[in-house]
Amino acid sequence: MRAIPRATSRTEEVMDLPYVETPDGRWLAFESTGPDDGVPVVLCHGMPGSKAGPRPRPMRLHSLGIRLISYDRPGYGGSTRKQGRSVADAAADVAAIADQLELAKFAVVGRSGGGPHALACAELLGNRVTRTAVLVSIAPATADGLDWSDGMAPSNVEAYEQAKTEEALIQTLTARAEAMRDDPETMLNFLKPQMGERDWAIVDDMRRQLHEAYREAVQGGPGGWIDDVLAFRKPWGFALTGIKTPVRLWHGDDDTFSPVSHSRWLKDRLPTAELEVQVGKGHFAAMETLPRMLQWCVGQAEQTEFALGPSAGAA
């Protein structure tokens, strides 16, 4: 682990980032929160997102004895872009971080767009991943027997449809990322009409944290966001039925961004999975549920109320 000076394409500001180098010469920016000797859990952020995504306060992580390791997927935040990446590629990146930190075993949690990447780790890293929690995930675009876009917010449907003609997707997300980098509130204004009142109340309460997370996500451009959408539209690159360790799925039945039908589909194909569906909860309620899922990841009795820390945030 080293700190490398990096100049962003927009501001040319130099930042010192903790990172690990991958075997193919890329680097991945990450953060470790909580005690160094705590039970390790790797967090896969949402889309768009960054390592500044939601997490419990550091003091809470210390009291629980959980070491939470979050990282920027390629093309987001401080991590080198990897064009053409698949969902499955996340496993090698997470393994590189775990190797650098000398973690023999660890749990993985993924929220929203991080869900498929967490499942990739569970399958491809085998028993090295002890437990996997997946919150408000999407299912594969080729999911048999699932009306994939039914109940999904128009913005998500549009993005995934545009992925069929890559040029349109690039134009749309480039413009959206530039606006979000200048003023992250534009992203919240764009999302607000597509979510329920309860979801908006959560977003409104975490506005400052969301601003931080969104701005960091696109500081180097829209590459990570574009590559996520493209990766979700093609085969993920691993077999769900190959996951042998425990998986816990969580979804709210009022989710307008990743419909609950996606988690129900995943549950039927994951041999070791259990599914919790909460009535009246939307997509962003996963940020409130994350601390409880972290406790499950490390085998602790779950508590229902936690405060999220100052770096809580991305969608």
Side-chain angles (χ1 to χ4, degrees):
M1 180 176 65
R2 296 153 53 195
I4 187 169
R6 183 191 179 195
T8 67
S9 59
R10 181 175 177 82
T11 64
E12 299 302 317
E13 293 176 352
V14 176
M15 299 169 291
D16 287 330
L17 301 171
Y19 84 105
V20 296
E21 190 170 5
T22 63
D24 61 354
R26 294 176 295 111
W27 49 285
L28 299 166
F30 76 98
E31 291 181 0
S32 178
T33 310
D36 288 343
D37 60 351
V39 182
V41 181
V42 175
L43 171 64
C44 298
H45 63 71
M47 177 190 77
S50 68
K51 63 184 179 297
R55 70 197 69 172
R57 297 181 187 278
M59 184 169 60
R60 173 60 68 180
L61 290 171
H62 276 272
S63 69
L64 295 174
I66 295 175
R67 182 184 188 184
L68 189 62
I69 299 133
S70 56
Y71 77 104
D72 294 331
R73 273 196 303 280
Y76 284 114
S79 291
T80 309
R81 187 179 182 186
K82 182 180 181 179
Q83 289 184 264
R85 60 179 166 89
S86 68
V87 173
D89 289 337
D93 285 348
V94 168
I97 294 171
D99 289 345
Q100 186 66 47
L101 297 177
E102 299 182 343
L103 305 177
K105 290 180 178 290
F106 49 91
V108 180
V109 60
R111 186 178 59 80
S112 191
H117 297 92
L119 290 171
C121 294
E123 202 278 329
L124 297 172
L125 301 182
N127 290 333
R128 191 172 187 185
V129 175
T130 55
R131 289 187 173 195
T132 306
V134 178
L135 293 74
V136 297
S137 179
I138 57 170
T142 56
D144 293 333
L146 175 67
D147 187 345
W148 200 85
S149 60
D150 182 44
M152 185 176 286
S155 62
N156 278 12
V157 175
E158 177 188 20
Y160 291 122
E161 283 299 312
Q162 287 179 337
K164 298 175 182 178
T165 55
E166 190 171 331
E167 183 179 349
L169 177 72
I170 292 172
Q171 291 177 350
T172 296
L173 295 190
T174 297
R176 198 166 293 164
E178 288 177 353
M180 187 166 64
R181 186 169 49 200
D182 291 339
D183 180 9
E185 186 68 18
T186 61
M187 184 64 172
L188 301 184
N189 291 337
F190 175 73
L191 295 174
K192 183 177 180 179
Q194 305 174 70
M195 67 178 73
E197 291 183 5
R198 292 185 181 182
D199 246 8
W200 178 249
I202 294 170
V203 169
D204 192 43
D205 188 53
M206 305 178 72
R207 177 175 268 103
R208 182 180 61 82
Q209 295 95 331
L210 284 163
H211 284 182
E212 175 189 350
Y214 286 146
R215 183 178 284 114
E216 179 174 334
V218 297
Q219 64 179 351
W225 198 354
I226 292 167
D227 296 340
D228 263 357
V229 175
L230 293 174
F232 292 147
R233 292 302 297 177
K234 64 185 182 182
W236 287 1
F238 64 96
L240 292 169
T241 54
I243 298 175
K244 306 302 182 186
T245 49
V247 175
R248 185 166 183 180
L249 304 167
W250 183 92
H251 225 114
D253 72 346
D254 196 28
D255 192 332
T256 58
F257 294 99
S258 300
V260 66
S261 57
H262 286 233
S263 278
R264 290 191 171 117
W265 187 95
L266 289 169
K267 166 65 172 64
D268 290 341
R269 277 113 186 127
L270 290 165
T272 61
E274 59 182 76
L275 170 62
E276 177 185 355
V277 176
Q278 284 197 268
V279 176
K281 297 291 187 178
H283 193 72
F284 286 86
M287 295 191 289
E288 296 180 327
T289 305
L290 175 64
R292 186 164 60 85
M293 296 300 102
L294 288 175
Q295 287 192 285
W296 176 84
C297 281
V298 300
Q300 295 180 5
E302 298 167 26
Q303 300 176 36
T304 57
E305 297 296 334
F306 286 96
L308 289 173
S311 51

